[in-house]
Amino acid sequence: MYECNNQPGRSMDILQSFWRLKKAIMAQVKQIAHNHELSVPQFGILITMSHKGKITQKTLQERTHFPKSTLSHAIDGLVLNGYLMRTPVEGNRREMDLSLSEAGHQLIKDIQSQPDSVHTRLTHAVNSFSEEQFNALIDMHQHIAAYLEDGDIQ
Amino acid sequence: MYECNNQPGRSMDILQSFWRLKKAIMAQVKQIAHNHELSVPQFGILITMSHKGKITQKTLQERTHFPKSTLSHAIDGLVLNGYLMRTPVEGNRREMDLSLSEAGHQLIKDIQSQPDSVHTRLTHAVNSFSEEQFNALIDMHQHIAAYLEDGDIQ
DNA sequence: ATAGAACTGTTCAAAAATGAACTATTAATG
DNA sequence: CATTAATAGTTCATTTTTGAACAGTTCTAT
């Protein structure tokens, strides 16, 4: 298609830069999750559910890419703590419908508004970005993620 | 500084976007690492070491933010497989000096040039970005990471 | 010098995350 | 229909990662 190595540093640069960012964000995620007695996957589930209403466990798996067993365990815990509601889907004795309980919504709000949460810190970190910059960042992330996810299938 | 919540969606957007990207990249990392009988931390160490020459284990810890025990185990394995050289630092019976062996350098090259490695895929994913876009992405990552890392100290 | 504090790296036990085998249900095929 | 294949979710064993206690070394302040 074209020369791959005309910018030989790019892949290493992006990987190192991403790795550092990942470490920084995940450190905060772990701390906040731990403060609320959540595992990291559980936190991830809450993030994902925060916009969705009712969603099937299968669909949640497609969204989050968590292994089935990880999901099952994490959901168990969330249900046990009353953050998530799990009901069999209507006319189907196999699939499970999931939705955030009132407590679940409240938990997310609490975390978001907590002054030392990832959310708050990220908001601050990103505060100096212009609307264009911010959107460009999100777009590039999505572009890369979509590309990599595609690659898995082929 | 100014109103934090004028863009209430930002933190959630960035977190979801980042989470998705993280999943996509880490899935590839795990696969490549596994193919070469490496753990994820070991892969991370190689990434970090690829630019450095001789570096102290303590310094490596500061760079990678891996827990001491994780580092110790991961390094053990790398030394055992001949990818890393570990020698006591001159005139200091406590600290350890680390450097990539010839085999270690070779391994990194192999991985980088493999057509299905994260490196290659990332390079492709990022190929449509202009120089400015790419640099902006890296800069924003660094900015966010630096901000979050600072927060830890305070 | 010397006692105590601080620091680097290892070890070992515990916690977190995952893969693989399994159960129960639904869909597909002859 | 009945039999086989495919699917959703759970369970259990294993792997991976991590925290905490530890051993040995260096630094600090008397």
Side-chain angles (χ1 to χ4, degrees), chain A residues 2 4 7 10-26 28-29 40 43-44 47 50-51 64-66 108 112 119 121-131 133-134 137-138 140-149 151-152, chain B residues 2 4 7 10-26 28-29 40 43-44 47 50-51 64-66 108 112 119 121-131 133-134 137-138 140-149 151-152:
Chain A
Y2 46 79
C4 281
Q7 285 140 340
R10 271 197 171 186
S11 77
M12 219 43 168
D13 285 349
I14 182 99
L15 199 49
Q16 286 185 341
S17 141
F18 163 80
W19 199 279
R20 182 177 169 208
L21 180 59
K22 185 208 115 171
K23 270 283 166 171
I25 294 187
M26 291 313 289
Q28 311 262 336
V29 164
V40 169
F43 187 89
I47 298 292
S50 69
H51 281 156
T64 61
H65 295 118
F66 280 120
I108 293 177
Q112 271 183 312
H119 300 267
R121 293 197 189 196
L122 267 180
T123 303
H124 286 172
V126 144
N127 223 301
S128 65
F129 297 171
S130 72
E131 198 64 20
Q133 287 178 310
F134 182 79
L137 176 65
I138 301 284
M140 286 192 278
H141 279 186
Q142 301 295 357
H143 175 85
I144 299 174
Y147 187 94
L148 294 179
E149 284 165 6
D152 287 340
Chain B
Y2 52 81
C4 282
Q7 284 140 342
R10 270 197 172 186
S11 76
M12 218 43 168
D13 287 347
I14 181 101
L15 199 48
Q16 286 185 340
S17 141
F18 164 81
W19 199 280
R20 182 178 169 207
L21 180 60
K22 186 209 116 173
K23 269 283 167 170
I25 294 188
M26 290 314 288
Q28 311 262 336
V29 164
V40 170
F43 186 89
I47 298 291
S50 70
H51 281 155
T64 61
H65 295 116
F66 280 121
I108 293 177
Q112 270 183 312
H119 300 268
R121 293 198 189 194
L122 267 179
T123 302
H124 287 174
V126 144
N127 219 293
S128 64
F129 298 171
S130 72
E131 198 65 21
Q133 286 178 310
F134 182 79
L137 176 64
I138 301 283
M140 285 192 278
H141 279 186
Q142 302 294 356
H143 175 85
I144 298 173
Y147 187 94
L148 294 179
E149 285 166 6
D152 288 339

Side-chain angles (χ1 to χ4, degrees), chain A residues 64-135:
Chain A
T64 61
H65 295 118
F66 280 120
K68 295 199 289 184
S69 52
T70 305
L71 254 194
S72 184
H73 278 139
I75 290 171
D76 255 17
L78 289 173
V79 171
L80 212 67
N81 288 305
Y83 297 131
L84 211 56
M85 283 152 50
R86 175 174 48 183
T87 55
V89 352
E90 185 80 9
N92 184 333
R93 275 186 293 176
R94 177 164 60 169
E95 298 186 46
M96 287 304 208
D97 261 334
L98 301 171
S99 60
L100 285 170
S101 69
E102 197 41 56
H105 282 293
Q106 191 54 51
L107 176 62
I108 293 177
K109 268 187 212 158
D110 284 357
I111 291 178
Q112 271 183 312
S113 64
Q114 210 171 309
D116 63 334
S117 77
V118 221
H119 300 267
T120 309
R121 293 197 189 196
L122 267 180
T123 303
H124 286 172
V126 144
N127 223 301
S128 65
F129 297 171
S130 72
E131 198 64 20
E132 287 76 25
Q133 287 178 310
F134 182 79
N135 290 337

Side-chain angles (χ1 to χ4, degrees), chain A residues 33-44:
Chain A
H34 192 80
N35 288 351
H36 294 266
E37 323 247 2
L38 299 170
S39 71
V40 169
Q42 285 173 334
F43 187 89

